[in-house]
Amino acid sequence: MTTIDTKNKPEGSGPAAAAPLLEVDNLHVEFRTRDGVAKAINGVSYDVSAGETLAVLGESGSGKSVTAQTIMGILDMPPGHITGGEIRFHGKDMLKMSKEERRKIRGQKISMIFQDALSALNPVYSVGFQLAEMFTVHRGMSKKDAKLKSIELMDQVRIPAAKDRVNDYPHQFSGGMRQRIMIAMALALDPELIIADEPTTALDVTVQAQVMDLLAELQRERNMGLILITHDLGVVADVADKIAVMYAGRIVEQAPVRELYRQPTHPYTKGLLESIPRLDHKGRELYAIKGLPPNLMRIPSGCAFNPRCPYAQDVCRSEIPPLHEISVGRGSACHFWETVMEGEVRG
Amino acid sequence: MGRYVVRRLLQMIPVFIGTTFLIYYMVYQLGGDPISAMFGDKGADPVFVRQMREEFHLNDPLIVQYWYYITDLLHGDFGTSFNGRPVADELKRAFPVSIRLAMIAFAIEVVVGVGLGLLSGLRRGKFVDTLVLAGTLVVISIPVFVLGTVAQFWLGSEWGIFEATATVGDATWSQLLLPGIVLGSLSLAFVARLTRTSVAENMRADYVRTATAKGLPRRRVVTRHLLRNSLIPVVTFLGADLGALMAGAIVTEGIFNVDGVGRLIYLAVTKHESSTVVGAVAALVMIYLVMNLIVDLLYAVLDPRIRYA
């Protein structure tokens, strides 16, 4: 697949360099529990290149976080089982690698930023210790050097008075500062890819923008790939290059960010866009997609979205729509994508 | 922190006075005349009895007797028992034995208990876990005197793996090994279960997932991140238990003929030796209080979120 991204590509990045950094290919993951099998991911494919930001959008339970955890190799197995597909990093399938090989990728090549920094940071160690750990364990640095590097990192993510705060504990920081520490930790070893799982969801709205800008800026500077997982369409618009919309463990629409906003080709995406509150529609009732996300143990036959879809026909209840290619880098898993595309976005 | 310690030390004073007075009162209420008890069936010379009662302040009201006792105690004088031996000597003899016994039990409890707990917590639902759960349940259900006598008979007498009894006077480490294991077994079961629950719970904690995502080796994730956090509740239990191990060894000490504090108190109670009973219990109360303080301070070290104002 060709990448659409053109932002700040380093010089000399020819067609060879445009080969994706990470490719998720037809991934299937299920959770086997006592109550039954929940099919969390049912054939997800996406790719990210260096310097590119892919936003993965979806409700809770759509499989966006499970995909990320599978890429990181931190999925709880059991109950999770990978039942098919490949995750290629630099063309090599990580699912076939040994545990030790995968561990060496984690943190060094691919790192992750979690949603709630307060619970994601260890409460009994100072932030300095938790940052320094990256250098002492992976790089064999002395504790003293690692601490200096930690302070440097904290400066880079703009934590004021980093030198004085390096020995403070996570609970002594504000939410925004804690998330900056998470970002610093993810950046520590100059990874090639960062997965940010709802990095701003737990933050105040005013702080959200700051943290997001910081993340986007650092990503540009270092030409990293970024997978941004979110359910917030507002966050996505400014920073993402392309978007993958997930529903019930499938990608229902994939598109460059501007095209998706302008002309959604899947009823679900359209519904999401229409349910964004807009100032010029003040006083009107806010649109909401009717119904609830499906139970992953009983995903509806055919298109999983059909019970909630205003466009649904008989074929939607019997046949799973494939991801139709609309143009380069653009696809929709809807039988009636052309009809959806023609319709205007209400709101 | 310093102010907190001082406040806690000051709080120990009323607790100390309250507990010693209660014990004193209870022994007083046991009734029976300790002087006549010394003479058994022969009966004593009333003049001598009167003289003794005077000497030991036995005719004074309870509160006055207690006052005499506590002022002496604060001067480091534990008093003399009715047969004329200083109580302090008795304590000096009995406490080291009990402390040694408690140390053995404690070491076993910590090493084996935490080890088993970690193992079963990491492999929750697997065979090892089931085995540990069943095993600890058995240990918890069996009364100490059954466990003690069975262990003594098989491990001590029949198979001769351990020494079956201790010498009165000065018990050696090797003689205390089997009683130590028996004494520590119950606490061991509790520690194992507590650690297991704590580990299993923290395994799903976000920060453990973060540690894995950082690419740390599994060993480091478990010891530095998982175990460190999981041990906080266990340490609390261990601290309180160390006091209980010293005081609660009466049955075990009885079975293995260990001449420790438990036995001293037991004998003193049967002989109405109030000053010995109160002295020994007062010393135990002090140990309890100090252990509690140490645990609370350790808590602040283990968990920086706890701040003492």
Side-chain angles (χ1 to χ4, degrees):
Chain A
M1 224 184 264
T2 328
T3 49
I4 292 97
D5 170 66
T6 48
K7 263 192 215 169
N8 289 10
K9 270 275 153 68
E11 301 236 358
S13 62
L21 190 61
L22 180 96
E23 299 158 276
V24 178
D25 190 358
N26 198 24
L27 186 69
H28 287 76
V29 175
E30 58 186 39
F31 290 98
R32 295 175 194 157
T33 65
R34 262 180 221 169
D35 305 323
V37 176
K39 293 191 180 289
I41 302 178
N42 307 297
V44 164
S45 305
Y46 58 59
D47 61 86
V48 200
S49 303
E52 187 181 42
T53 299
L54 165 74
V56 181
L57 205 73
E59 297 167 298
S60 29
S62 60
K64 55 194 194 309
S65 289
V66 176
T67 315
Q69 285 173 14
T70 314
I71 296 169
M72 279 308 283
I74 55 169
L75 187 70
D76 284 331
M77 296 196 290
H81 291 268
I82 299 166
T83 49
E86 287 188 351
I87 299 173
R88 289 185 295 272
F89 184 63
H90 286 299
K92 248 186 106 186
D93 186 7
M94 290 201 291
L95 299 179
K96 291 199 183 75
M97 287 181 187
S98 70
K99 275 187 180 173
E100 190 57 20
E101 277 178 288
R102 294 215 63 186
R103 181 180 75 74
K104 287 194 170 139
I105 292 177
R106 278 199 292 270
Q108 302 200 66
K109 305 276 184 214
I110 306 179
S111 62
M112 189 157 177
I113 298 167
F114 294 97
Q115 176 178 344
D116 181 7
L118 182 59
S119 62
L121 291 169
N122 194 327
V124 305
Y125 292 114
S126 69
V127 296
F129 176 90
Q130 296 184 58
L131 287 168
E133 211 175 19
M134 298 298 280
F135 301 110
T136 52
V137 173
H138 289 291
R139 296 277 186 267
M141 258 187 215
S142 72
K143 278 188 180 163
K144 207 176 136 199
D145 293 345
K147 189 163 217 170
L148 289 176
K149 286 288 272 181
S150 308
I151 296 171
E152 206 177 288
L153 270 174
M154 285 168 76
D155 269 331
Q156 279 172 26
V157 294
R158 293 188 214 112
I159 291 171
K163 216 175 195 160
D164 305 323
R165 302 219 64 186
V166 68
N167 292 323
D168 282 358
Y169 291 90
H171 71 273
Q172 291 168 298
F173 289 85
S174 68
M177 289 298 148
R178 267 196 298 266
Q179 196 55 279
R180 282 163 196 261
I181 287 163
M182 278 253 78
I183 293 173
M185 205 143 85
L187 290 172
L189 303 175
D190 273 315
E192 295 171 56
L193 177 70
I194 286 195
I195 303 174
D197 190 353
E198 310 234 4
T200 59
T201 307
L203 302 177
D204 289 341
V205 183
T206 46
V207 183
Q208 279 186 2
Q210 295 171 7
V211 170
M212 207 55 241
D213 289 346
L214 175 73
L215 188 60
E217 185 192 314
L218 291 165
Q219 181 237 351
R220 257 197 316 277
E221 270 173 19
R222 297 166 183 231
N223 197 40
M224 295 180 297
L226 174 65
I227 298 178
L228 180 65
I229 295 164
T230 182
H231 61 254
D232 188 346
L233 277 161
V235 169
V236 169
D238 305 329
V239 292
D241 298 306
K242 57 184 189 182
I243 295 188
V245 182
M246 285 188 72
Y247 188 82
R250 267 174 219 284
I251 290 181
V252 293
E253 176 157 13
Q254 204 160 22
V257 66
R258 258 169 257 283
E259 289 179 41
L260 184 122
Y261 274 82
R262 197 176 57 233
Q263 203 170 39
T265 57
H266 193 282
Y268 178 62
T269 319
K270 200 169 166 219
L272 286 179
L273 289 172
E274 283 167 356
S275 50
I276 300 175
R278 282 165 52 172
L279 265 184
D280 53 327
H281 290 169
K282 204 175 157 192
R284 274 196 247 167
E285 194 183 332
L286 189 61
Y287 177 79
I289 302 172
K290 61 176 185 175
L292 293 168
N295 179 344
L296 293 176
M297 292 188 195
R298 282 185 298 276
I299 295 175
S301 62
C303 171
F305 189 60
N306 83 67
R308 304 172 75 184
C309 182
Y311 296 85
Q313 311 274 330
D314 283 344
V315 62
C316 301
R317 286 179 269 276
S318 56
E319 267 176 57
I320 298 179
L323 195 70
H324 300 283
E325 187 162 344
I326 296 163
S327 58
V328 175
R330 180 137 206 227
S332 166
C334 178
H335 292 301
F336 303 102
W337 62 271
E338 281 158 311
T339 323
V340 179
M341 205 170 160
E342 282 158 19
E344 246 182 64
V345 177
R346 294 156 302 163
Chain B
M1 194 77 154
R3 273 180 60 193
Y4 175 77
V5 176
V6 172
R7 215 173 59 195
R8 282 294 306 265
L9 286 171
L10 289 176
Q11 276 172 5
M12 282 162 78
I13 295 169
V15 175
F16 180 74
I17 292 174
T19 43
T20 48
F21 181 75
L22 269 176
I23 299 294
Y24 203 87
Y25 175 72
M26 282 192 273
V27 175
Y28 181 83
Q29 285 292 322
L30 276 175
D33 184 22
I35 308 296
S36 346
M38 284 166 67
F39 293 91
D41 294 336
K42 277 191 273 177
D45 177 8
V47 182
F48 181 71
V49 169
R50 211 176 304 127
Q51 201 184 327
M52 288 287 276
R53 288 191 70 87
E54 203 62 44
E55 194 190 322
F56 287 101
H57 306 292
L58 289 177
N59 295 325
D60 295 334
L62 172 70
I63 195 78
V64 178
Q65 288 188 36
Y66 175 72
W67 174 252
Y68 280 123
Y69 179 74
I70 201 80
T71 44
D72 279 351
L73 196 61
L74 292 178
H75 290 105
D77 181 5
F78 277 87
T80 41
S81 62
F82 295 114
N83 57 19
R85 264 184 303 176
V87 174
D89 286 358
E90 302 259 350
L91 297 182
K92 257 183 235 158
R93 188 186 47 73
F95 263 92
V97 177
S98 280
I99 287 171
R100 245 178 287 167
L101 182 62
M103 276 166 68
I104 293 173
F106 192 70
I108 289 165
E109 171 183 347
V110 172
V111 176
V112 184
V114 170
L116 285 179
L118 180 62
L119 201 67
S120 65
L122 288 175
R123 292 174 210 280
R124 211 157 54 111
K126 301 276 173 61
F127 177 71
V128 182
D129 183 32
T130 318
L131 201 69
V132 169
L133 278 182
T136 49
L137 186 66
V138 168
V139 172
I140 291 171
S141 327
I142 297 178
V144 180
F145 63 88
V146 176
L147 191 70
T149 29
V150 169
Q152 185 180 40
F153 181 72
W154 288 108
L155 300 175
S157 310
E158 289 293 301
W159 299 336
I161 302 169
F162 297 97
E163 293 187 52
T165 54
T167 11
V168 173
D170 199 24
T172 60
W173 285 99
S174 65
Q175 287 172 339
L176 290 173
L177 205 53
L178 189 56
I181 293 171
V182 170
L183 182 62
S185 62
L186 183 65
S187 305
L188 181 156
F190 281 122
V191 168
R193 284 177 161 241
L194 200 60
T195 310
R196 171 190 178 269
T197 314
S198 194
V199 164
E201 196 179 298
N202 284 319
M203 235 187 8
R204 272 175 282 155
D206 286 353
Y207 59 79
V208 172
R209 199 183 53 187
T210 309
T212 312
K214 279 161 90 174
L216 304 180
R218 169 113 175 127
R219 173 179 286 269
R220 190 177 171 94
V221 173
V222 169
T223 53
R224 285 300 181 93
H225 290 271
L226 176 61
L227 194 59
R228 166 70 198 269
N229 283 276
S230 303
L231 282 184
I232 294 171
V234 180
V235 166
T236 323
F237 174 82
L238 287 175
D241 197 50
L242 194 54
L245 283 179
M246 296 210 49
I250 296 180
V251 177
T252 315
E253 289 186 359
I255 295 169
F256 293 95
N257 198 35
V258 176
D259 202 8
V261 179
R263 202 174 139 91
L264 177 72
I265 294 176
Y266 172 72
L267 290 178
V269 169
T270 54
K271 282 197 257 169
H272 296 286
E273 291 264 11
S274 55
S275 49
T276 310
V277 177
V278 182
V281 173
L284 286 177
V285 167
M286 283 310 290
I287 291 175
Y288 253 106
L289 290 176
V290 171
M291 284 316 300
N292 254 317
L293 180 63
I294 292 175
V295 167
D296 282 357
L297 296 179
L298 208 58
Y299 219 69
V301 175
L302 283 177
D303 192 344
R305 282 168 298 183
I306 296 169
R307 294 276 152 209
Y308 296 117

PDB file of all heavy atoms in Angstrom, chain A residues 220-239:
ATOM      1  N   ARG A 220       7.167  14.299  14.931  1.00  0.00           N
ATOM      2  CA  ARG A 220       7.677  14.921  13.697  1.00  0.00           C
ATOM      3  C   ARG A 220       9.188  15.062  13.758  1.00  0.00           C
ATOM      4  O   ARG A 220       9.887  14.680  12.829  1.00  0.00           O
ATOM      5  CB  ARG A 220       7.045  16.300  13.522  1.00  0.00           C
ATOM      6  CG  ARG A 220       5.942  16.342  12.477  1.00  0.00           C
ATOM      7  CD  ARG A 220       5.622  17.754  12.035  1.00  0.00           C
ATOM      8  NE  ARG A 220       5.518  18.720  13.122  1.00  0.00           N
ATOM      9  CZ  ARG A 220       4.405  18.900  13.849  1.00  0.00           C
ATOM     10  NH1 ARG A 220       3.329  18.161  13.615  1.00  0.00           N
ATOM     11  NH2 ARG A 220       4.379  19.796  14.807  1.00  0.00           N
ATOM     12  N   GLU A 221       9.671  15.576  14.896  1.00  0.00           N
ATOM     13  CA  GLU A 221      11.112  15.769  15.066  1.00  0.00           C
ATOM     14  C   GLU A 221      11.901  14.496  14.838  1.00  0.00           C
ATOM     15  O   GLU A 221      12.962  14.492  14.253  1.00  0.00           O
ATOM     16  CB  GLU A 221      11.403  16.223  16.505  1.00  0.00           C
ATOM     17  CG  GLU A 221      11.384  17.704  16.721  1.00  0.00           C
ATOM     18  CD  GLU A 221      11.500  18.027  18.197  1.00  0.00           C
ATOM     19  OE1 GLU A 221      11.948  17.147  18.973  1.00  0.00           O
ATOM     20  OE2 GLU A 221      11.119  19.152  18.579  1.00  0.00           O
ATOM     21  N   ARG A 222      11.370  13.416  15.369  1.00  0.00           N
ATOM     22  CA  ARG A 222      12.130  12.162  15.349  1.00  0.00           C
ATOM     23  C   ARG A 222      11.707  11.237  14.222  1.00  0.00           C
ATOM     24  O   ARG A 222      12.178  10.102  14.142  1.00  0.00           O
ATOM     25  CB  ARG A 222      11.947  11.435  16.682  1.00  0.00           C
ATOM     26  CG  ARG A 222      12.500  12.244  17.831  1.00  0.00           C
ATOM     27  CD  ARG A 222      12.029  11.696  19.147  1.00  0.00           C
ATOM     28  NE  ARG A 222      12.511  12.524  20.230  1.00  0.00           N
ATOM     29  CZ  ARG A 222      13.151  12.046  21.294  1.00  0.00           C
ATOM     30  NH1 ARG A 222      13.352  10.756  21.409  1.00  0.00           N
ATOM     31  NH2 ARG A 222      13.560  12.850  22.229  1.00  0.00           N
ATOM     32  N   ASN A 223      10.760  11.688  13.399  1.00  0.00           N
ATOM     33  CA  ASN A 223      10.297  10.913  12.264  1.00  0.00           C
ATOM     34  C   ASN A 223       9.837   9.507  12.662  1.00  0.00           C
ATOM     35  O   ASN A 223      10.170   8.514  12.020  1.00  0.00           O
ATOM     36  CB  ASN A 223      11.400  10.834  11.194  1.00  0.00           C
ATOM     37  CG  ASN A 223      10.838  10.403   9.859  1.00  0.00           C
ATOM     38  OD1 ASN A 223       9.745  10.834   9.488  1.00  0.00           O
ATOM     39  ND2 ASN A 223      11.553   9.551   9.160  1.00  0.00           N
ATOM     40  N   MET A 224       9.085   9.454  13.747  1.00  0.00           N
ATOM     41  CA  MET A 224       8.594   8.156  14.210  1.00  0.00           C
ATOM     42  C   MET A 224       7.244   7.855  13.585  1.00  0.00           C
ATOM     43  O   MET A 224       6.524   8.749  13.169  1.00  0.00           O
ATOM     44  CB  MET A 224       8.393   8.189  15.732  1.00  0.00           C
ATOM     45  CG  MET A 224       9.650   8.375  16.534  1.00  0.00           C
ATOM     46  SD  MET A 224       9.272   8.410  18.303  1.00  0.00           S
ATOM     47  CE  MET A 224       8.246   9.857  18.417  1.00  0.00           C
ATOM     48  N   GLY A 225       6.909   6.575  13.540  1.00  0.00           N
ATOM     49  CA  GLY A 225       5.540   6.195  13.209  1.00  0.00           C
ATOM     50  C   GLY A 225       4.703   6.330  14.469  1.00  0.00           C
ATOM     51  O   GLY A 225       5.203   6.119  15.566  1.00  0.00           O
ATOM     52  N   LEU A 226       3.447   6.719  14.308  1.00  0.00           N
ATOM     53  CA  LEU A 226       2.584   6.849  15.487  1.00  0.00           C
ATOM     54  C   LEU A 226       1.225   6.219  15.207  1.00  0.00           C
ATOM     55  O   LEU A 226       0.592   6.514  14.195  1.00  0.00           O
ATOM     56  CB  LEU A 226       2.417   8.333  15.845  1.00  0.00           C
ATOM     57  CG  LEU A 226       1.440   8.680  16.970  1.00  0.00           C
ATOM     58  CD1 LEU A 226       1.909   8.135  18.316  1.00  0.00           C
ATOM     59  CD2 LEU A 226       1.236  10.193  17.070  1.00  0.00           C
ATOM     60  N   ILE A 227       0.832   5.317  16.094  1.00  0.00           N
ATOM     61  CA  ILE A 227      -0.534   4.800  16.018  1.00  0.00           C
ATOM     62  C   ILE A 227      -1.291   5.444  17.163  1.00  0.00           C
ATOM     63  O   ILE A 227      -0.958   5.250  18.331  1.00  0.00           O
ATOM     64  CB  ILE A 227      -0.570   3.265  16.147  1.00  0.00           C
ATOM     65  CG1 ILE A 227       0.196   2.615  14.985  1.00  0.00           C
ATOM     66  CG2 ILE A 227      -2.021   2.769  16.158  1.00  0.00           C
ATOM     67  CD1 ILE A 227       0.253   1.105  15.074  1.00  0.00           C
ATOM     68  N   LEU A 228      -2.265   6.246  16.812  1.00  0.00           N
ATOM     69  CA  LEU A 228      -3.000   6.987  17.820  1.00  0.00           C
ATOM     70  C   LEU A 228      -4.382   6.371  17.970  1.00  0.00           C
ATOM     71  O   LEU A 228      -5.198   6.438  17.054  1.00  0.00           O
ATOM     72  CB  LEU A 228      -3.098   8.451  17.380  1.00  0.00           C
ATOM     73  CG  LEU A 228      -3.839   9.405  18.297  1.00  0.00           C
ATOM     74  CD1 LEU A 228      -3.123   9.543  19.620  1.00  0.00           C
ATOM     75  CD2 LEU A 228      -3.986  10.759  17.625  1.00  0.00           C
ATOM     76  N   ILE A 229      -4.615   5.755  19.121  1.00  0.00           N
ATOM     77  CA  ILE A 229      -5.898   5.107  19.341  1.00  0.00           C
ATOM     78  C   ILE A 229      -6.803   6.064  20.091  1.00  0.00           C
ATOM     79  O   ILE A 229      -6.405   6.614  21.125  1.00  0.00           O
ATOM     80  CB  ILE A 229      -5.695   3.820  20.150  1.00  0.00           C
ATOM     81  CG1 ILE A 229      -4.878   2.835  19.311  1.00  0.00           C
ATOM     82  CG2 ILE A 229      -7.024   3.210  20.534  1.00  0.00           C
ATOM     83  CD1 ILE A 229      -4.307   1.720  20.109  1.00  0.00           C
ATOM     84  N   THR A 230      -7.965   6.276  19.605  1.00  0.00           N
ATOM     85  CA  THR A 230      -8.831   7.253  20.245  1.00  0.00           C
ATOM     86  C   THR A 230     -10.291   7.022  19.884  1.00  0.00           C
ATOM     87  O   THR A 230     -10.608   6.306  18.949  1.00  0.00           O
ATOM     88  CB  THR A 230      -8.416   8.686  19.828  1.00  0.00           C
ATOM     89  OG1 THR A 230      -9.232   9.615  20.503  1.00  0.00           O
ATOM     90  CG2 THR A 230      -8.562   8.891  18.335  1.00  0.00           C
ATOM     91  N   HIS A 231     -11.183   7.606  20.669  1.00  0.00           N
ATOM     92  CA  HIS A 231     -12.571   7.615  20.246  1.00  0.00           C
ATOM     93  C   HIS A 231     -13.009   9.052  20.004  1.00  0.00           C
ATOM     94  O   HIS A 231     -14.161   9.341  19.779  1.00  0.00           O
ATOM     95  CB  HIS A 231     -13.458   6.921  21.288  1.00  0.00           C
ATOM     96  CG  HIS A 231     -13.427   7.600  22.632  1.00  0.00           C
ATOM     97  ND1 HIS A 231     -12.760   7.074  23.704  1.00  0.00           N
ATOM     98  CD2 HIS A 231     -13.945   8.769  23.031  1.00  0.00           C
ATOM     99  CE1 HIS A 231     -12.884   7.898  24.724  1.00  0.00           C
ATOM    100  NE2 HIS A 231     -13.594   8.938  24.354  1.00  0.00           N
ATOM    101  N   ASP A 232     -12.021   9.951  20.072  1.00  0.00           N
ATOM    102  CA  ASP A 232     -12.303  11.372  19.988  1.00  0.00           C
ATOM    103  C   ASP A 232     -11.945  11.901  18.603  1.00  0.00           C
ATOM    104  O   ASP A 232     -10.785  12.050  18.256  1.00  0.00           O
ATOM    105  CB  ASP A 232     -11.493  12.096  21.077  1.00  0.00           C
ATOM    106  CG  ASP A 232     -11.887  13.554  21.191  1.00  0.00           C
ATOM    107  OD1 ASP A 232     -12.564  14.060  20.276  1.00  0.00           O
ATOM    108  OD2 ASP A 232     -11.509  14.173  22.193  1.00  0.00           O
ATOM    109  N   LEU A 233     -12.975  12.191  17.803  1.00  0.00           N
ATOM    110  CA  LEU A 233     -12.746  12.663  16.437  1.00  0.00           C
ATOM    111  C   LEU A 233     -12.033  14.002  16.407  1.00  0.00           C
ATOM    112  O   LEU A 233     -11.302  14.311  15.488  1.00  0.00           O
ATOM    113  CB  LEU A 233     -14.080  12.789  15.703  1.00  0.00           C
ATOM    114  CG  LEU A 233     -14.624  11.501  15.106  1.00  0.00           C
ATOM    115  CD1 LEU A 233     -16.097  11.631  14.826  1.00  0.00           C
ATOM    116  CD2 LEU A 233     -13.866  11.164  13.845  1.00  0.00           C
ATOM    117  N   GLY A 234     -12.235  14.783  17.461  1.00  0.00           N
ATOM    118  CA  GLY A 234     -11.620  16.100  17.521  1.00  0.00           C
ATOM    119  C   GLY A 234     -10.112  16.011  17.600  1.00  0.00           C
ATOM    120  O   GLY A 234      -9.388  16.760  16.944  1.00  0.00           O
ATOM    121  N   VAL A 235      -9.607  15.057  18.396  1.00  0.00           N
ATOM    122  CA  VAL A 235      -8.172  14.881  18.573  1.00  0.00           C
ATOM    123  C   VAL A 235      -7.515  14.500  17.251  1.00  0.00           C
ATOM    124  O   VAL A 235      -6.440  14.979  16.894  1.00  0.00           O
ATOM    125  CB  VAL A 235      -7.906  13.782  19.630  1.00  0.00           C
ATOM    126  CG1 VAL A 235      -6.447  13.385  19.645  1.00  0.00           C
ATOM    127  CG2 VAL A 235      -8.341  14.242  21.012  1.00  0.00           C
ATOM    128  N   VAL A 236      -8.221  13.662  16.496  1.00  0.00           N
ATOM    129  CA  VAL A 236      -7.655  13.056  15.304  1.00  0.00           C
ATOM    130  C   VAL A 236      -7.370  14.059  14.200  1.00  0.00           C
ATOM    131  O   VAL A 236      -6.316  14.049  13.570  1.00  0.00           O
ATOM    132  CB  VAL A 236      -8.630  11.970  14.790  1.00  0.00           C
ATOM    133  CG1 VAL A 236      -8.224  11.495  13.427  1.00  0.00           C
ATOM    134  CG2 VAL A 236      -8.654  10.830  15.789  1.00  0.00           C
ATOM    135  N   ALA A 237      -8.315  14.972  14.000  1.00  0.00           N
ATOM    136  CA  ALA A 237      -8.285  15.840  12.817  1.00  0.00           C
ATOM    137  C   ALA A 237      -6.962  16.577  12.643  1.00  0.00           C
ATOM    138  O   ALA A 237      -6.453  16.676  11.534  1.00  0.00           O
ATOM    139  CB  ALA A 237      -9.433  16.840  12.886  1.00  0.00           C
ATOM    140  N   ASP A 238      -6.403  17.085  13.750  1.00  0.00           N
ATOM    141  CA  ASP A 238      -5.219  17.919  13.643  1.00  0.00           C
ATOM    142  C   ASP A 238      -3.929  17.151  13.405  1.00  0.00           C
ATOM    143  O   ASP A 238      -3.020  17.648  12.777  1.00  0.00           O
ATOM    144  CB  ASP A 238      -5.047  18.741  14.934  1.00  0.00           C
ATOM    145  CG  ASP A 238      -6.288  19.544  15.236  1.00  0.00           C
ATOM    146  OD1 ASP A 238      -6.962  19.939  14.269  1.00  0.00           O
ATOM    147  OD2 ASP A 238      -6.581  19.745  16.428  1.00  0.00           O
ATOM    148  N   VAL A 239      -3.842  15.949  13.966  1.00  0.00           N
ATOM    149  CA  VAL A 239      -2.532  15.301  13.981  1.00  0.00           C
ATOM    150  C   VAL A 239      -2.402  14.104  13.049  1.00  0.00           C
ATOM    151  O   VAL A 239      -1.294  13.757  12.646  1.00  0.00           O
ATOM    152  CB  VAL A 239      -2.163  14.855  15.410  1.00  0.00           C
ATOM    153  CG1 VAL A 239      -1.929  16.052  16.290  1.00  0.00           C
ATOM    154  CG2 VAL A 239      -3.205  13.940  16.001  1.00  0.00           C
TER     155      VAL A 239
END
